[in-house]
Amino acid sequence: MSESKKSLAIFALGGINEIGKNMYVIEYGDDLFIVDCGAKFADESLLGIDLIIPDVSYLIQNEHKIRGLIVTHGHEDHIGGIPYFLKKLNVPVYATRFTLGLIELKLREHKILRESTLIEIHSKSELDFGEIKVNFFRVSHSIPDCLGIVFNTPEGNIVHTGDFKFDYTPVNEQNSDIHKMAKIGEEGVVALISESTNAERPGSTPSERKVGWHIEEAFFRATGKIIISTFASNVNRVQQIVDATKKTNRRLALLGRSMVNVVKVARERGYVDIPDWMLVDSREVRNLPPERVVVLCTGSQGEPLAALSRLSTNNNRDVKVLPDDTVIFAASPIPGNEKGVSKIVDNLFQLGANVIYGSASNTGMHVSGHGYQEDLKLMLTLMKPKYFIPIHGEYRMLHKHRQLAEAVGVERGHTFIIRNGDVVDIQHGEARQTRQVPSGDTYVDNVGDDEIVDIVLRDRKQLSEEGMLVVVVTINKEDGNRISDPDSISRGFVYAKGNEELIGNVNDVVKRTIDPFKEANIMGMKRAIKKEVGNYIFEQTKKKPMILPIIIAV
Amino acid sequence: MSESKKSLAIFALGGINEIGKNMYVIEYGDDLFIVDCGAKFADESLLGIDLIIPDVSYLIQNEHKIRGLIVTHGHEDHIGGIPYFLKKLNVPVYATRFTLGLIELKLREHKILRESTLIEIHSKSELDFGEIKVNFFRVSHSIPDCLGIVFNTPEGNIVHTGDFKFDYTPVNEQNSDIHKMAKIGEEGVVALISESTNAERPGSTPSERKVGWHIEEAFFRATGKIIISTFASNVNRVQQIVDATKKTNRRLALLGRSMVNVVKVARERGYVDIPDWMLVDSREVRNLPPERVVVLCTGSQGEPLAALSRLSTNNNRDVKVLPDDTVIFAASPIPGNEKGVSKIVDNLFQLGANVIYGSASNTGMHVSGHGYQEDLKLMLTLMKPKYFIPIHGEYRMLHKHRQLAEAVGVERGHTFIIRNGDVVDIQHGEARQTRQVPSGDTYVDNVGDDEIVDIVLRDRKQLSEEGMLVVVVTINKEDGNRISDPDSISRGFVYAKGNEELIGNVNDVVKRTIDPFKEANIMGMKRAIKKEVGNYIFEQTKKKPMILPIIIAV
């Protein structure tokens, strides 16, 4: 392939028209870079499925080109797929110190830490891959140590923002590298790939520090024990909780596996400052006066197995919720989680606790990590891109983000609203979107390692909605003559008691269906039973249970 | 029973610790009054179940006492259970003219209108049942013709508010009868039963008229077709849409079965004023210039089968969404419906429409029909009850409502936070809560008339989450000796391909389990197979599929 025919390809394998499983690819000639490898939690319509990760068949086909996986930050929707991915493609992983700490937790759990290649980078790192050079800039977000990425290519600079907001009064110096961003914009950006989560929200994202003020106020008011729940990965919020704990002269117990693990990583690597005297084991809580204790726990999203849920039903052995305790949700419920959170609030009120919950606008106990419209416009203004690719959002967010881009000067028609798999090709400075690569969902089941194929899911759906009917009949293997009366068993469809007549009629249908067969044609009999019994059941009940004929030839 | 031993009982058969299926009972001696008979939509955890209605076994046992069902207003959570209830207990139904119109629609659908006894009342009606007299007062809500109820009993006045807000600038004169409420309070109220839906929200509920201003503004701005969706039963909002349609010189098409039906009832009975010239059939829409049309449709909650959802994928034969059309959601998404609404917004943007959507605080296109904290305090202040029973809400709302009651002077300890089935008994002016009556959920399945028993639901849940494994083996009916090799079939559990080994091992487990049997003990064999195969599968896969052993004795 001659130099002049090379083009630069940008596409997503996940993260577009969805929140979750982010994975983006920048490809130029024989160099391919992956940005992030996230997972998405399955919703209830996918029965018994826990995680969804990107379909990476394109990457498997192009394994020889992959130069590395670059990770912008340590949230699940950006790192959750990494263990499953590395088991398929053992490529080098580039990430900052804190992000690597979280990735290592996962790889250790999956027992593949030793054979993985992890390379620590920081916002001033410069990676040289020959024709492509990669630089970084620091962005603010709701987790420490986040990066934006600049791919310096023969076609010009391609900028990927990662997840970001602008926070002018950040906690722990996690501020945005705004001067560097300005410099990149001055150099020229051919394409900006920018996140769109809050493109629907007018104004600017409030500073994380605002949450600290509200936490401090609530701590000063509290008379009994304080139980406070937030995202473990929001280490800057954890720092503010630690600071308020210090000011009110309390001690701090950590509850919940991910809280303990993430705080450990953050302390070891210097992202949170907790004095040793402050920490107590949760078993010590009962021995301390309530007004001297803060319990920091997981479960702010109402997760039924997390610490806060157990506390709300007083099912934790060591920590009990008492009247006059204060329970604080230092996180807004993510849409879809309201019911789980509400149930926990109900239970906590029944235990007599004072509960601070609800939307951030009422409590002040949460701010978003994603830039609102003014933040997004600032990024667009700094980068002045020729082309714009909004990512990380559902269609209406990408659509709103395009409107913002046009408002600050991106030319009409220079924004590409892509779907997962759609490729934007840039050649000789001109961008087009005409082709696609394979993309999709890969399911990970409860146990963790199995990928479930679609047919099992489809079966589960039918079973769950319509139930099933097993029809058993025994035939002579020589001539196909029926030996036994048919027998039918239903599950999740109708209750057998009171439906003897229906079941009896089904057995008559089975007889009429297979008796005309003159040989032991098992497949033919099964097909005929499925059809005839299915029709009969539908006529009678308007239901379509799974019909499972079992023919025993003896 | 001597007069002095009679007590007045107040309880709920539905509506407490839930939103939906409201049903309250006032019982004094041999007189029993039912207030409302609602239904609740099942959430996704109840697989394939559509509706939940109250368990009325207590009422069936006490049928001879029932004097009637009094209905406060026509929302589904207050009337949805009526057809199912009347099929069990054909009692007289008292309701206002508009509410009766909606009830009649349901009874006609269920083909029981003719044999039902429907009695029209209004806010000035007085019903005399001997010892008990029943009066009413008008309340504002998000549907016309709503009542609060006063039971005048030998123990004093019991007031049930129905659903309410205070609206000082109502549409169509649907204002609250605040003077009558003041008079009732002056007479004395022994117990107030008041709704709690918005007890968590500070301030006063905005007036419905505010929505009208925003609708009008959006109509004046719109250039193409206007498609606007709201709750069909919110007739006052429909009136404001009609008024804005008139002002912008457009014509109006109705889309969606419930919109057509409810508007018909409302027009016939005088609750909405739509000039004949304005209405066009939806088939005419394509023949009119877009700027001359308003389409008023159902589906504001993202319901997948409603009109707006079909429009968003351009699946309606008559009405097409074109670029520059304006689509307005004149209703906030109810928690839990956000995903469905978002999907529709995404689709509408993809068709090029201008979409006005999101929370009421951003769009102004919705106000609640339920009183905020200041409204609830006004009702408590007007009624000055001795005892207070907050209803119509989940625990945290009842809890907040109690705090409001105490703030305006209800004595501590005089508020009863009850659960469904808990009885508050009032005797000689003193209230106690010590006993319970049976209560619970009754499920109504897809087809509409069957009540599903719990075992079927439990089966569906297991089937959906873990799948199932059918194990078939043939034995000699004389001596129990196995005739065939066992055969196993799995569904929704593991995919057979690639799991031949597991299935093979299961068959070995079955052999080892039943071969020691020395007789054709079918039940014993089934139990043993369930246990042994279940254990083996769990060891190997950490899953618990439903194990269904089938033993054929020939």
Side-chain angles (χ1 to χ4, degrees):
Chain A
M1 193 190 267
S2 80
E3 188 71 9
S4 66
K5 281 215 177 149
K6 274 191 194 172
S7 80
L8 182 96
I10 302 172
F11 54 92
L13 293 175
I16 311 277
N17 287 327
E18 62 186 343
I19 301 286
K21 80 172 187 29
N22 287 283
M23 184 175 236
Y24 306 93
V25 175
I26 311 288
E27 186 181 352
Y28 183 77
D30 277 343
D31 294 314
L32 187 156
F33 299 89
I34 305 160
V35 177
D36 294 341
C37 180
K40 175 162 86 165
F41 292 101
D43 68 17
E44 287 171 29
S45 67
L46 291 171
L47 304 156
I49 296 293
D50 278 347
L51 274 188
I52 302 173
I53 55 175
D55 175 343
V56 293
S57 47
Y58 180 85
L59 299 178
I60 291 170
Q61 285 159 26
N62 292 278
E63 185 174 0
H64 61 286
K65 296 185 180 178
I66 301 174
R67 297 291 159 259
L69 164 62
I70 305 175
V71 182
T72 59
H73 66 286
H75 278 150
E76 278 303 306
D77 57 333
H78 295 258
I79 69 169
I82 291 180
Y84 309 99
F85 178 64
L86 292 187
K87 284 176 200 170
K88 291 181 191 167
L89 291 172
N90 191 358
V91 305
V93 179
Y94 297 85
T96 56
R97 191 169 155 73
F98 181 70
T99 307
L100 276 188
L102 298 184
I103 294 172
E104 284 173 18
L105 283 179
K106 284 185 185 296
L107 299 182
R108 194 171 295 123
E109 210 168 279
H110 282 263
K111 301 192 174 59
I112 55 165
L113 178 57
R114 267 194 20 195
E115 56 267 42
S116 302
T117 308
L118 305 180
I119 299 156
E120 189 178 312
I121 53 175
H122 51 76
S123 67
K124 296 191 171 57
S125 298
E126 293 190 26
L127 307 180
D128 188 335
F129 296 94
E131 277 191 309
I132 312 278
K133 302 193 174 40
V134 184
N135 289 275
F136 305 92
F137 53 94
R138 189 156 65 187
V139 291
S140 295
H141 188 41
S142 47
I143 187 170
D145 231 3
C146 299
L147 294 177
I149 310 174
V150 187
F151 293 93
N152 182 264
T153 80
E155 286 287 348
N157 283 335
I158 311 293
V159 174
H160 188 300
T161 63
D163 288 4
F164 75 96
K165 67 192 266 191
F166 288 95
D167 190 337
Y168 308 113
T169 54
V171 179
N172 282 338
E173 291 158 22
Q174 291 290 317
N175 51 333
S176 314
D177 203 345
I178 198 165
H179 299 97
K180 193 165 185 181
M181 294 182 206
K183 203 161 146 260
I184 296 161
E186 283 296 314
E187 279 172 30
V189 172
V190 64
L192 174 67
I193 305 162
S194 179
E195 73 123 325
S196 312
T197 316
N198 276 334
E200 298 176 291
R201 298 172 82 168
S204 303
T205 317
S207 171
E208 176 63 31
R209 203 167 282 273
K210 218 181 127 195
V211 178
W213 300 332
H214 286 98
I215 289 173
E216 207 176 289
E217 193 195 335
F219 274 40
F220 275 118
R221 273 178 200 273
T223 51
K225 194 155 65 255
I226 294 172
I227 295 166
I228 183 165
S229 181
T230 193
F231 302 106
S233 64
N234 197 329
V235 173
N236 297 330
R237 193 163 301 161
V238 169
Q239 182 68 63
Q240 300 195 99
I241 291 166
V242 168
D243 295 344
T245 303
K246 197 185 289 175
K247 282 191 187 163
T248 51
N249 198 20
R250 290 175 181 252
R251 303 188 67 189
L252 184 70
L254 304 176
L255 214 60
R257 198 169 66 104
S258 72
M259 187 61 76
V260 171
N261 286 342
V262 174
V263 169
K264 186 160 177 280
V265 168
R267 282 188 93 197
E268 285 169 0
R269 299 186 178 215
Y271 292 88
V272 68
D273 180 21
I274 312 181
D276 285 332
W277 64 261
M278 183 186 284
L279 284 174
V280 290
D281 193 281
S282 60
R283 275 164 301 187
E284 296 300 313
V285 167
R286 70 176 86 187
N287 302 326
L288 291 165
E291 69 275 14
R292 295 273 66 88
V293 182
V294 172
V295 177
L296 172 57
C297 66
T298 54
S300 64
Q301 294 302 309
E303 304 93 323
L305 299 176
L308 190 59
S309 172
R310 285 166 189 272
L311 288 174
S312 78
T313 50
N314 262 345
N315 270 328
N316 185 289
R317 209 181 35 198
D318 302 316
V319 180
K320 298 292 172 200
V321 178
L322 305 173
D324 293 324
D325 283 357
T326 297
V327 182
I328 304 171
F329 285 77
S332 293
I334 294 168
N337 294 346
E338 295 91 348
K339 277 189 192 174
V341 170
S342 295
K343 189 75 217 139
I344 291 175
V345 174
D346 281 349
N347 291 340
L348 290 168
F349 273 133
Q350 285 180 331
L351 295 176
N354 169 32
V355 189
I356 301 176
Y357 69 100
S359 70
S361 54
N362 288 334
T363 66
M365 290 293 182
H366 181 70
V367 295
S368 176
H370 300 278
Y372 289 11
Q373 291 179 350
E374 296 305 310
D375 301 60
L376 299 178
K377 284 193 268 182
L378 176 53
M379 180 65 83
L380 282 155
T381 301
L382 285 167
M383 293 298 173
K384 301 188 291 182
K386 179 173 182 187
Y387 293 105
F388 176 50
I389 305 173
I391 57 163
H392 205 282
E394 299 177 33
Y395 187 85
R396 62 198 177 285
M397 303 161 191
L398 309 180
H399 174 80
K400 290 274 180 189
H401 206 173
R402 168 170 58 189
Q403 291 180 329
L404 299 177
E406 287 173 5
V408 302
V410 171
E411 234 175 275
R412 235 197 141 106
H414 278 202
T415 297
F416 292 92
I417 298 197
I418 53 174
R419 293 162 301 174
N420 293 329
D422 286 347
V423 180
V424 175
D425 283 301
I426 303 179
Q427 198 173 30
H428 310 312
E430 299 299 318
R432 286 175 309 147
Q433 189 258 298
T434 50
R435 63 189 180 98
Q436 293 198 307
V437 297
S439 69
D441 287 347
T442 297
Y443 301 118
V444 180
D445 199 0
N446 288 318
V447 186
D449 276 347
D450 310 334
E451 290 174 7
I452 291 207
V453 283
D454 273 350
I455 194 167
V456 176
L457 269 187
R458 210 174 50 223
D459 282 356
R460 284 188 189 174
K461 191 166 160 57
Q462 189 184 6
L463 287 170
S464 73
E465 289 176 357
E466 309 275 352
M468 63 149 194
L469 183 75
V470 180
V471 177
V472 188
V473 66
T474 316
I475 59 168
N476 184 314
K477 68 180 161 193
E478 309 300 333
D479 57 14
N481 281 345
R482 191 160 47 79
I483 298 176
S484 72
D485 266 354
D487 196 7
S488 301
I489 301 161
S490 74
R491 285 290 183 276
F493 158 51
V494 292
Y495 189 48
K497 215 154 61 184
N499 283 287
E500 293 86 356
E501 195 189 323
L502 180 70
I503 300 290
N505 291 346
V506 165
N507 292 340
D508 288 343
V509 171
V510 174
K511 281 192 220 166
R512 279 206 305 275
T513 306
I514 66 163
D515 287 355
F517 278 81
K518 291 294 159 236
E519 49 170 355
N521 173 0
I522 290 181
M523 288 310 291
M525 287 176 169
K526 283 188 175 179
R527 265 197 300 269
I529 290 175
K530 271 197 177 181
K531 182 164 165 249
E532 298 300 327
V533 173
N535 287 345
Y536 175 75
I537 296 272
F538 185 73
E539 262 169 37
Q540 296 295 313
T541 67
K542 301 288 171 239
K543 285 185 207 308
K544 294 183 175 180
M546 180 182 287
I547 312 276
L548 213 60
I550 297 178
I551 314 258
I552 319 274
V554 289
Chain B
M1 194 193 269
S2 80
E3 187 72 10
S4 67
K5 281 216 174 149
K6 274 192 194 172
S7 80
L8 181 98
I10 302 170
F11 54 91
L13 292 175
I16 311 277
N17 288 327
E18 62 186 343
I19 301 287
K21 80 174 187 26
N22 287 282
M23 184 175 237
Y24 306 94
V25 175
I26 311 289
E27 186 180 353
Y28 183 77
D30 278 342
D31 294 315
L32 187 155
F33 299 89
I34 305 161
V35 178
D36 294 339
C37 179
K40 177 161 88 165
F41 292 101
D43 67 16
E44 288 173 30
S45 65
L46 291 171
L47 303 158
I49 296 293
D50 277 346
L51 273 189
I52 303 173
I53 56 176
D55 175 344
V56 294
S57 47
Y58 180 85
L59 299 178
I60 291 170
Q61 285 158 29
N62 292 278
E63 185 174 0
H64 61 287
K65 296 186 180 178
I66 301 175
R67 297 293 158 257
L69 164 62
I70 306 174
V71 182
T72 59
H73 65 285
H75 278 150
E76 278 303 306
D77 57 333
H78 296 258
I79 69 168
I82 291 180
Y84 309 99
F85 178 64
L86 292 187
K87 284 178 202 170
K88 292 181 191 166
L89 292 171
N90 191 358
V91 305
V93 178
Y94 297 87
T96 57
R97 193 170 153 73
F98 182 69
T99 307
L100 276 188
L102 298 184
I103 293 172
E104 284 173 17
L105 283 179
K106 284 186 185 296
L107 299 183
R108 195 170 294 124
E109 210 168 280
H110 282 262
K111 302 191 173 60
I112 55 167
L113 178 58
R114 267 191 22 191
E115 57 265 44
S116 302
T117 309
L118 305 180
I119 300 156
E120 188 178 312
I121 53 174
H122 52 76
S123 67
K124 295 191 172 59
S125 298
E126 292 190 27
L127 308 180
D128 189 335
F129 296 95
E131 279 192 307
I132 312 279
K133 305 196 172 38
V134 185
N135 290 277
F136 305 92
F137 53 94
R138 189 157 63 188
V139 291
S140 295
H141 187 42
S142 46
I143 187 171
D145 231 4
C146 300
L147 295 176
I149 310 173
V150 187
F151 294 93
N152 182 263
T153 80
E155 286 287 348
N157 283 333
I158 311 293
V159 174
H160 187 301
T161 63
D163 289 4
F164 75 96
K165 66 192 267 190
F166 288 96
D167 190 337
Y168 308 113
T169 55
V171 178
N172 282 338
E173 291 159 22
Q174 291 290 318
N175 51 332
S176 314
D177 202 346
I178 197 163
H179 299 96
K180 192 165 186 180
M181 294 183 205
K183 204 162 146 259
I184 296 162
E186 282 296 313
E187 279 172 30
V189 172
V190 64
L192 174 67
I193 305 162
S194 179
E195 73 123 326
S196 314
T197 315
N198 275 335
E200 300 176 291
R201 298 173 83 168
S204 303
T205 318
S207 171
E208 176 63 30
R209 204 166 281 274
K210 219 180 125 195
V211 177
W213 301 332
H214 285 99
I215 289 173
E216 207 177 289
E217 193 197 333
F219 273 41
F220 275 118
R221 273 177 200 272
T223 51
K225 194 155 65 258
I226 296 172
I227 295 166
I228 184 165
S229 182
T230 193
F231 302 106
S233 63
N234 197 330
V235 174
N236 297 331
R237 194 163 301 163
V238 170
Q239 182 67 65
Q240 300 196 98
I241 291 166
V242 168
D243 295 345
T245 303
K246 198 184 291 176
K247 283 192 188 164
T248 52
N249 199 20
R250 289 174 181 253
R251 302 189 66 190
L252 184 70
L254 304 176
L255 213 60
R257 199 169 65 105
S258 71
M259 188 60 76
V260 171
N261 287 341
V262 174
V263 169
K264 185 159 177 283
V265 169
R267 282 189 93 197
E268 285 168 359
R269 300 188 176 214
Y271 292 88
V272 68
D273 179 22
I274 311 181
D276 285 332
W277 66 260
M278 184 187 284
L279 284 174
V280 290
D281 192 280
S282 59
R283 276 164 298 188
E284 295 301 312
V285 167
R286 70 176 85 186
N287 301 326
L288 291 165
E291 68 275 15
R292 296 271 66 86
V293 183
V294 172
V295 177
L296 171 57
C297 66
T298 55
S300 65
Q301 294 303 309
E303 305 92 324
L305 298 177
L308 190 58
S309 171
R310 286 167 188 272
L311 288 175
S312 77
T313 49
N314 262 345
N315 270 328
N316 185 289
R317 209 182 32 196
D318 303 316
V319 180
K320 298 293 172 201
V321 178
L322 305 173
D324 291 324
D325 283 355
T326 297
V327 182
I328 303 172
F329 285 77
S332 294
I334 294 168
N337 295 346
E338 294 91 347
K339 276 189 193 174
V341 171
S342 295
K343 189 72 217 143
I344 290 176
V345 174
D346 282 348
N347 292 340
L348 290 168
F349 273 134
Q350 284 179 332
L351 296 176
N354 169 33
V355 189
I356 301 177
Y357 69 101
S359 69
S361 54
N362 289 335
T363 67
M365 289 295 181
H366 181 69
V367 297
S368 177
H370 300 278
Y372 290 9
Q373 291 179 349
E374 296 305 311
D375 301 61
L376 299 179
K377 284 192 268 181
L378 176 53
M379 179 64 83
L380 282 155
T381 300
L382 286 166
M383 294 297 172
K384 298 188 293 183
K386 179 171 180 187
Y387 293 106
F388 176 51
I389 305 174
I391 57 164
H392 205 284
E394 298 177 34
Y395 187 86
R396 61 197 179 284
M397 303 160 190
L398 310 179
H399 174 80
K400 291 273 179 188
H401 205 174
R402 167 169 59 189
Q403 292 179 331
L404 299 176
E406 287 173 2
V408 302
V410 172
E411 235 175 274
R412 237 199 139 104
H414 279 202
T415 297
F416 292 92
I417 297 196
I418 54 174
R419 292 162 301 174
N420 294 329
D422 287 349
V423 180
V424 175
D425 283 301
I426 302 180
Q427 198 172 31
H428 310 314
E430 299 299 318
R432 287 173 310 148
Q433 190 259 299
T434 50
R435 63 188 180 98
Q436 293 198 308
V437 297
S439 69
D441 286 347
T442 297
Y443 301 118
V444 180
D445 200 0
N446 287 320
V447 186
D449 277 347
D450 310 332
E451 290 175 7
I452 290 207
V453 282
D454 273 352
I455 193 167
V456 176
L457 269 187
R458 212 173 49 224
D459 282 355
R460 284 188 189 174
K461 192 167 157 58
Q462 188 184 4
L463 286 170
S464 75
E465 289 176 356
E466 308 276 352
M468 64 151 194
L469 183 76
V470 181
V471 177
V472 188
V473 65
T474 317
I475 59 169
N476 184 316
K477 66 181 160 193
E478 311 299 334
D479 55 14
N481 280 344
R482 190 161 50 77
I483 297 178
S484 71
D485 267 353
D487 196 5
S488 302
I489 300 160
S490 74
R491 284 292 183 277
F493 157 50
V494 291
Y495 190 48
K497 213 153 63 184
N499 283 287
E500 295 86 356
E501 195 188 324
L502 180 70
I503 300 291
N505 292 345
V506 165
N507 292 341
D508 288 343
V509 172
V510 174
K511 282 191 219 167
R512 278 205 307 274
T513 306
I514 66 162
D515 285 356
F517 278 81
K518 289 296 158 234
E519 48 169 358
N521 173 0
I522 290 180
M523 289 310 291
M525 286 176 169
K526 282 187 176 179
R527 265 197 300 271
I529 290 174
K530 270 196 178 184
K531 182 165 163 247
E532 297 300 327
V533 173
N535 287 346
Y536 175 76
I537 296 273
F538 185 73
E539 262 170 36
Q540 296 293 315
T541 68
K542 301 291 172 236
K543 285 184 207 307
K544 293 183 174 179
M546 179 182 289
I547 312 276
L548 212 61
I550 296 177
I551 314 257
I552 320 275
V554 289

